[in-house]
Amino acid sequence: MERDYYEILGIGRGAAADEIKKAYRKIAMKHHPDKNPGSKASEDKFKAAAEAYSVLSDPEKKARYDQFGKAGVKGGPQQHEGNFYEEDFSDLFENSPFGSFFGGESRRQANHGEDLHINIILNIREIAEGVQKKVKIKRYTSCDACGGNGSENGIAVDQCEPCKGSGFIRNMTRTMLGNMMTESTCSSCAGVGKHIKKKCEDCHGKGRKLKEDLITFQVPAGVVGGMHLTVHGKGNVPLRGGVSGNLIVHVAEEQDDLLKREGTNICYNLHISFVDAALGCEIEVPTIYGAVRLKIPAGTNSGKVLKIKGKGVVDVNRFGVKGDQLVFVQIWTPQELTKEEKELLLSLKNSPNFAPKPNKHEPSFFERIKSFFQG
Ligand SMILES: [Zn+2]
Ligand SMILES: [Zn+2]
């Protein structure tokens, strides 16, 4: 089962650094887990290639491997197999035609760590009042053992010699149109621009470690589903120090069974009996801030909209603007009647007060709703 690293990458023993990189890139592209979901064979090939590359791309390890075989590089990749291929990925595909495919960014703007994304679902009360959230995420944080520079005990690191610390190698190429300057990522330092004499054992020279981190952030009142919040600096720490990425929190709203949000207003359907509507009553109504007592005036018609001021949601974009709760009154018509109830109602049937007399000057139901939402 133990295969030779050169064989895994399909190259000869005399292969140059560029050739090794190219061979690895080809295999990694083909067998990347994102492109072959669920394929164990691809995953194994991908990991084997990553392991081979991590040794053959490192001149020191390569020399030991050439001389002693795998025994010479033990304690290397196998021990931290879990995630090491993810880490080095961005370096490898930068400045390649595949860079954009993997979302790689140019190292020039980059010693920036990757952003991380999470989703949260908020209920209507959390939205109304704002909420402090605590979430556990896995992210790369600075290695404690080396302080993040990847060097043993955090000893100062030297500038990378081949690229003079820029992370780039410039090449002059003669073409028919004259000399052309091309740039490629420095292969000695993978674009970081620094040379480490002895790697930190804790993080294998990466300067960062994948850790579970508890992140606390405040969600302001009035957020709307589809918005996102940015928690600065709580994404990944980049390789060997730099600016951390951000944590992007995507907000979704949980629908409430009773209280429906309409912008900054809260809508509530209230069913009352015909008797309560005719005589008037005081009734308990739920709001996002707790129950309140609402007065229903005598003679209230179905479709009446009552307003409970200030029990809506604040406008996240306009300071001091807050909606109301709109209570849509529905008069409940009994679905079943006893003999006695029927007789009682029949006795009232011909009473003149029971004949509908809608007021022509009163705005219609739809006009009323419209005015509330414009208000
Ligand atoms: Zn370290
Ligand atoms: Zn370099």
Side-chain angles (χ1 to χ4, degrees), residues 112-331:
H112 272 264
E114 304 88 351
D115 287 343
L116 295 173
H117 295 260
I118 57 163
N119 298 313
I120 55 166
I121 301 173
L122 302 173
N123 67 42
I124 201 157
R125 282 160 193 91
E126 292 173 318
I127 288 168
E129 300 190 300
V131 64
Q132 193 185 64
K133 283 276 174 189
K134 284 187 165 83
V135 292
K136 256 191 196 158
I137 58 164
K138 271 198 162 175
R139 69 180 192 108
Y140 282 102
T141 54
S142 188
C143 170
D144 292 333
C146 62
N149 72 359
S151 164
E152 189 179 46
N153 300 322
I155 292 163
V157 291
D158 299 331
Q159 196 177 64
C160 172
E161 206 32 58
C163 67
K164 302 274 177 275
S166 72
F168 283 88
I169 300 285
R170 290 207 164 94
N171 296 303
M172 193 71 91
T173 321
R174 273 169 193 266
T175 72
M176 274 162 55
L177 301 168
N179 289 339
M180 252 175 68
M181 186 83 95
T182 56
E183 259 184 1
S184 57
T185 303
C186 172
S187 58
S188 310
C189 63
V192 176
K194 288 172 184 142
H195 175 72
I196 296 172
K197 281 205 187 83
K198 192 151 192 270
K199 285 182 180 178
C200 167
E201 279 187 15
D202 227 36
C203 62
H204 308 280
K206 311 281 187 225
R208 64 178 191 173
K209 291 180 83 176
L210 196 59
K211 261 198 348 204
E212 197 158 75
D213 201 6
L214 186 68
I215 310 280
T216 306
F217 56 90
Q218 188 66 33
V219 179
V223 292
V224 179
M227 281 182 174
H228 65 261
L229 310 165
T230 303
V231 188
H232 290 280
K234 295 298 181 185
N236 282 337
V237 164
L239 285 170
R240 272 162 273 163
V243 184
S244 292
N246 299 324
L247 177 66
I248 314 292
V249 180
H250 298 267
V251 174
E253 287 182 46
E254 186 181 77
Q255 291 301 315
D256 193 88
D257 290 338
L258 297 175
L259 301 168
K260 302 264 179 263
R261 181 183 187 185
E262 206 60 68
T264 58
N265 289 324
I266 296 293
C267 299
Y268 176 69
N269 263 329
L270 175 69
H271 291 270
I272 58 171
S273 75
F274 160 77
V275 178
D276 281 343
L279 302 176
C281 68
E282 214 179 86
I283 205 161
E284 203 164 80
V285 171
T287 77
I288 41 182
Y289 306 99
V292 298
R293 291 193 75 78
L294 180 66
K295 234 185 142 99
I296 311 290
T300 292
N301 261 307
S302 215
K304 177 127 184 133
V305 184
L306 299 168
K307 190 191 270 188
I308 309 176
K309 267 221 142 310
K311 297 292 185 190
V313 179
V314 296
D315 189 324
V316 75
N317 295 315
R318 291 184 294 165
F319 184 76
V321 176
K322 196 178 188 187
D324 305 311
Q325 177 159 325
L326 308 178
V327 178
F328 295 79
V329 178
Q330 316 278 350
I331 292 171

Side-chain angles (χ1 to χ4, degrees), residues 14-86:
D18 270 356
E19 218 178 316
I20 295 169
K21 194 174 194 172
K22 225 185 201 168
Y24 169 54
R25 199 184 270 177
K26 207 171 131 189
I27 297 170
M29 279 292 296
K30 193 171 164 195
H31 295 290
H32 190 267
D34 287 353
K35 287 180 81 187
N36 303 277
S39 166
K40 182 87 179 78
S42 277
E43 196 193 326
D44 289 344
K45 278 183 187 151
F46 184 84
K47 281 187 178 168
E51 188 188 311
Y53 180 73
S54 76
V55 171
L56 299 185
S57 62
D58 181 334
E60 214 180 288
K61 278 188 191 166
K62 183 176 181 292
R64 269 186 285 149
Y65 180 74
D66 288 345
Q67 203 174 351
F68 305 110
K70 264 191 193 171
V73 290
K74 272 284 181 248
Q78 284 97 335
Q79 287 186 356
H80 56 114
E81 197 181 344
N83 282 293
F84 79 102
Y85 61 82
E86 287 173 15

